[in-house]
Amino acid sequence: MDNPETQVNIENPNNKSNSLWISLKGQLKKFLSSHNIGDFIFERLTLLFAVLVFLLVILMGYEMYVGSKISIDKFGWSFLTNSVWDPVQEIYGALPIIYGTIVSSFLALVISVPLSIGIAIFLSEVSPDWLEKPLSFLVELLAGIPSVVYGLWGIFVLVPWIRTDVEPFLSEHLGFLPFFRGAPYGFGMLAAVLILAIMILPIVSSISRDILRSVPQSQREAALALGATRWQSTKIVLKDAKSGILGATMLGLGRAVGETMAVTMVIGNRAVISPSLFDPSYTMASVIANEFTEATSEMYLSALIQLALVLFVLTIIINAMAKLLVWSMERKLGTR
Amino acid sequence: MDIKISVKNLEAFYGKNKVLKNISIDIPRNKVVAIIGPSGCGKSTFLRCLNRMHEVVGGTITGSILVDGEDLTKTDPVLIRKRLGMVFQKPNPFPTMSIFNNVAAGLRFNGVRNKKILAPIVEKSLKQAALWDEVKDNLEDSGVNISGGQQQRLCIARTLAVDPEVILMDEPASALDPISTSKIEELIFELKKNYTIVIVTHNMQQAARVSDFTAFFYMGELIEYDKTTKIFTNPSNKKTEEYVTGRFG
Ligand SMILES: Nc1ncnc2c1ncn2[C@@H]1O[C@H](COP(=O)(O)OP(=O)(O)OP(=O)(O)O)[C@@H](O)[C@H]1O
Ligand SMILES: [Mg+2]
């Protein structure tokens, strides 16, 4: 053959089919050129949308920055570290509010994540088909309930129950801990934590279930064929799914941090830092929702917008981390 | 003949769908038995009945499977799978584990934790699987960052580490290149000194090369079972002849 070797491999696998190959290539070129314009428009259009979303986020961040300029100039970083939130004196320190947001969300995760993983394991690994479908449906139904309905349920069912049963019980048996002291109001951090835990349960468990399902069956079979018990093979699956479940948890955290209505209705709405879960607290989202209508002075409004900016940045960070984790998990399993 | 596995009147079902019909077959000790037959005839199902993996996907069976005279269908499946190891069509190492831990996985399931005990077994198994020289310096690397052929040998090593009596292989080389395939075939030749092997294959030459006995399955039935040389040179059944000569399937 007189062709150089690379060409032999790529273009001319067989001398006899050479002319056929060339004509095929011509046809392919024609096909591509006739389709290129559509592809071009399609690509550019989707790119445009992606860029638009990105710009929107930047724009929102910028608007909030401009809106909170007065407050930022006056308080600077002390906005984050000062614990007095006093609209009358025009002093705005968001520490108790940030504290309330983080603590309520974190504790909600502590309660909700183990439960969610348990539900996910049951749905994906244990439950028979006929039970799995209605159960999954129920879990997803929970995710669709509007948060104001959770809030109402919180006020009329959860809070009274906490006041008459949970808090007296806790202070009697665990009252030596600072977390369970004080008067049992019902409204407060504990109620917010419980309601958040219930609200993030569906999202964390249904995403975790999908993640577990995406682990190939061959992994379970590999373990079982080596003499693993059902639980041991489930542990292998969980190991594969670890980063994905972590991502699901972060999505739950994002939801908890931004949750407004239900939390406002039960948390007691006072910007104080107290170790006791019985005491009222406040979250960033609730402060903004509650006080925006009352913000008459320019500084007050500016401080609230700064609070929104803090919440905005926090949620973006959490969600980005969640997406990154889920994505890295999918990539890892996909390349197998 | 010294019989390792004796299958009697085995029928296998997926729900109501019967996919194996009245299979009776004796598998001799320290020999290689090849299972051949067209796609969908029940080869994998048969193999998976032998180590009770069939029930993992919700299948059921009737009949009996005796291993050294003991009825498998009446024993704990976890114990059975330690005695009858399985290598799958597609290499399936554990991606979160190192090469070392992949091989040690089965022992760990058994409760062996001590690395001093694990290390020599891992080394021996990797040597048996003819993989040791290629990976001995990277035992801590992930089990999926090696080639497909190496992954399959890793899976064989993983199976050997549990010290099974029987090795079941479901088209172990069908996803591999010719060089890896011949490595696996050499390996089977070595392994049959110590193990009883049942191998499903679509490749007639492979069946002829590696096996002592061949079973031909067709539409859920065992059509013919005999010495491999007989099956490939002078089969008694017309269907078998047509299949091995490539006239259908
Ligand atoms: N999980 C399953 N659920 C229901 N039916 C199944 C399942 N797996 C296999 N079958 C059916 O059982 C029959 C036998 O399948 P099996 O996988 O044993 O065939 P096979 O001989 O291994 O085929 P191949 O050569 O393609 O691997 C087929 O008709 C198939 O449709
Ligand atoms: Mg098969």
Side-chain angles (χ1 to χ4, degrees):
Chain A
M1 270 179 268
D2 23 1
N3 287 354
E5 198 164 309
T6 49
Q7 251 189 323
V8 174
N9 287 337
I10 299 165
E11 302 211 9
N12 186 11
N14 183 337
N15 247 347
K16 274 185 209 150
S17 64
N18 204 5
S19 58
L20 180 74
W21 180 248
I22 287 169
S23 89
L24 264 180
K25 225 169 62 173
Q27 278 174 7
L28 192 73
K29 260 193 195 135
K30 247 202 238 148
F31 175 84
L32 278 182
S33 57
S34 67
H35 281 69
N36 245 350
I37 295 176
D39 278 357
F40 181 82
I41 294 174
F42 175 70
E43 262 168 35
R44 289 303 136 112
L45 213 60
T46 46
L47 183 71
L48 182 74
F49 290 146
V51 169
L52 266 180
V53 171
F54 188 70
L55 281 180
L56 208 64
V57 170
I58 302 267
L59 195 69
M60 281 172 76
Y62 177 73
E63 280 294 326
M64 277 187 256
Y65 175 75
V66 171
S68 57
K69 196 84 177 61
I70 314 173
S71 162
I72 289 175
D73 285 346
K74 174 142 190 229
F75 302 109
W77 291 109
S78 82
F79 184 79
L80 301 178
T81 53
N82 182 2
S83 56
V84 177
W85 181 267
D86 188 346
V88 180
Q89 308 283 331
E90 295 271 29
I91 300 171
Y92 299 103
L95 188 64
I97 301 164
I98 296 171
Y99 170 89
T101 308
I102 291 175
V103 170
S104 62
S105 308
F106 178 75
L107 292 180
L109 278 189
V110 169
I111 295 175
S112 193
V113 166
L115 271 174
S116 302
I117 294 178
I119 293 172
I121 291 177
F122 182 78
L123 289 177
S124 142
E125 308 295 311
V126 184
S127 125
D129 253 8
W130 59 266
L131 187 60
E132 193 263 312
K133 293 236 164 61
L135 273 182
S136 291
F137 177 72
L138 268 179
V139 169
E140 269 149 29
L141 202 69
L142 280 180
I145 298 177
S147 86
V148 66
V149 175
Y150 277 105
L152 272 185
W153 176 79
I155 290 177
F156 289 112
V157 181
L158 187 66
V159 168
W161 179 61
I162 290 177
R163 182 166 51 226
T164 57
D165 295 315
V166 180
E167 287 183 340
F169 176 86
L170 285 174
S171 59
E172 194 184 324
H173 296 279
L174 296 166
F176 56 90
L177 295 168
F179 315 120
F180 305 114
R181 280 187 199 151
Y185 290 123
F187 290 96
M189 182 64 99
L190 186 60
V193 166
L194 290 181
I195 215 158
L196 278 176
I198 296 169
M199 290 180 76
I200 59 179
L201 192 82
I203 181 171
V204 180
S205 51
S206 62
I207 296 176
S208 299
R209 177 205 57 194
D210 291 347
I211 300 270
L212 288 181
R213 277 215 198 120
S214 75
V215 175
Q217 180 66 11
S218 65
Q219 288 291 303
R220 296 175 186 88
E221 297 201 338
L224 289 175
L226 287 172
T229 59
R230 193 107 171 250
W231 168 233
Q232 284 170 328
S233 104
T234 302
K235 275 200 290 194
I236 296 279
V237 173
L238 280 175
K239 232 184 192 169
D240 286 353
K242 204 166 54 188
S243 59
I245 290 178
L246 202 61
T249 304
M250 301 294 282
L251 283 178
L253 181 62
R255 167 107 207 248
V257 165
E259 177 49 46
T260 312
M261 207 53 196
V263 173
T264 310
M265 289 164 85
V266 301
I267 201 169
N269 299 336
R270 274 183 39 212
V272 289
I273 295 182
S274 159
S276 175
L277 299 180
F278 297 1
D279 285 338
S281 182
Y282 223 163
T283 67
M284 291 189 258
S286 332
V287 171
I288 296 166
N290 281 333
E291 301 189 3
F292 206 74
T293 47
E294 308 161 4
T296 41
S297 79
E298 220 175 342
M299 181 61 80
Y300 197 177
L301 199 63
S302 177
L304 284 177
I305 296 175
Q306 192 177 355
L307 203 58
L309 185 63
V310 174
L311 182 59
F312 179 73
V313 171
L314 190 67
T315 353
I316 286 187
I317 293 174
I318 291 172
N319 276 296
M321 277 165 72
K323 283 278 145 57
L324 223 62
L325 282 166
V326 173
W327 175 72
S328 80
M329 149 93 191
E330 273 164 6
R331 220 178 48 144
K332 208 167 70 196
L333 290 174
T335 52
R336 211 174 311 138
Chain B
M1 207 161 50
D2 186 4
I3 302 303
K4 178 71 189 175
I5 306 175
S6 173
V7 177
K8 289 205 181 72
N9 308 109
L10 176 69
E11 313 228 292
F13 304 81
Y14 289 103
K16 287 200 170 57
N17 184 15
K18 190 195 277 191
V19 296
L20 287 181
K21 293 162 199 153
N22 203 16
I23 308 280
S24 294
I25 184 170
D26 284 337
I27 291 166
R29 190 184 308 277
N30 294 3
K31 293 278 188 271
V32 178
V33 173
I35 313 277
I36 59 170
S39 185
C41 69
K43 304 181 295 293
S44 298
T45 305
F46 173 73
L47 208 63
R48 292 165 63 90
C49 286
L50 297 184
N51 69 343
R52 306 262 311 252
M53 289 298 282
H54 181 55
E55 67 203 55
V56 170
V57 289
T60 52
I61 63 166
T62 63
S64 69
I65 302 168
L66 306 179
V67 176
D68 291 329
E70 183 193 345
D71 194 344
L72 280 192
T73 55
K74 297 187 174 65
T75 327
D76 179 5
V78 170
L79 298 176
I80 286 160
R81 292 178 196 137
K82 283 171 191 160
R83 294 174 58 193
L84 292 91
M86 180 168 241
V87 178
F88 297 84
Q89 176 170 2
K90 224 175 128 211
N92 54 356
F94 300 120
T96 53
M97 293 187 196
S98 65
I99 291 174
F100 183 96
N101 288 336
N102 259 287
V103 182
L107 292 160
R108 292 223 166 94
F109 292 144
N110 279 313
V112 184
R113 298 253 175 279
N114 189 339
K115 210 158 176 183
K116 284 208 183 71
I117 302 175
L118 291 174
I121 302 179
V122 168
E123 178 174 344
K124 182 175 159 232
S125 309
L126 283 170
K127 277 180 176 157
Q128 271 183 298
L131 187 59
W132 175 253
D133 290 330
E134 292 158 59
V135 299
K136 63 172 182 247
D137 300 320
N138 341 19
L139 289 177
E140 293 311 314
D141 285 7
S142 162
V144 288
N145 289 344
I146 48 180
S147 77
Q150 288 174 325
Q151 285 185 25
Q152 192 62 307
R153 277 178 284 148
L154 178 62
C155 291
I156 293 175
R158 181 174 72 179
T159 305
L160 295 175
V162 208
D163 195 25
E165 301 155 24
V166 180
I167 303 174
L168 309 169
M169 299 179 161
D170 193 350
E171 304 184 42
S174 70
L176 304 181
D177 61 284
I179 292 174
S180 301
T181 301
S182 74
K183 277 206 170 125
I184 303 268
E185 286 178 11
E186 279 167 36
L187 198 58
I188 292 170
F189 215 75
E190 280 301 307
L191 291 174
K192 83 171 176 186
K193 290 173 192 155
N194 301 307
Y195 303 91
T196 304
I197 297 173
V198 185
I199 177 172
V200 170
T201 178
H202 264 132
N203 181 329
M204 293 306 124
Q205 288 79 22
Q206 185 171 65
R209 277 194 301 265
V210 301
S211 69
D212 304 296
F213 295 85
T214 297
F216 172 58
F217 279 58
Y218 183 64
M219 307 226 335
E221 285 176 78
L222 176 60
I223 303 294
E224 190 169 354
Y225 176 48
D226 213 320
K227 286 214 165 66
T228 296
T229 43
K230 172 116 191 328
I231 294 277
F232 282 97
T233 52
N234 184 23
S236 332
N237 189 291
K238 187 131 192 316
K239 269 254 144 23
T240 315
E241 188 184 344
E242 281 174 11
Y243 186 71
V244 297
T245 53
R247 256 172 281 163
F248 85 97

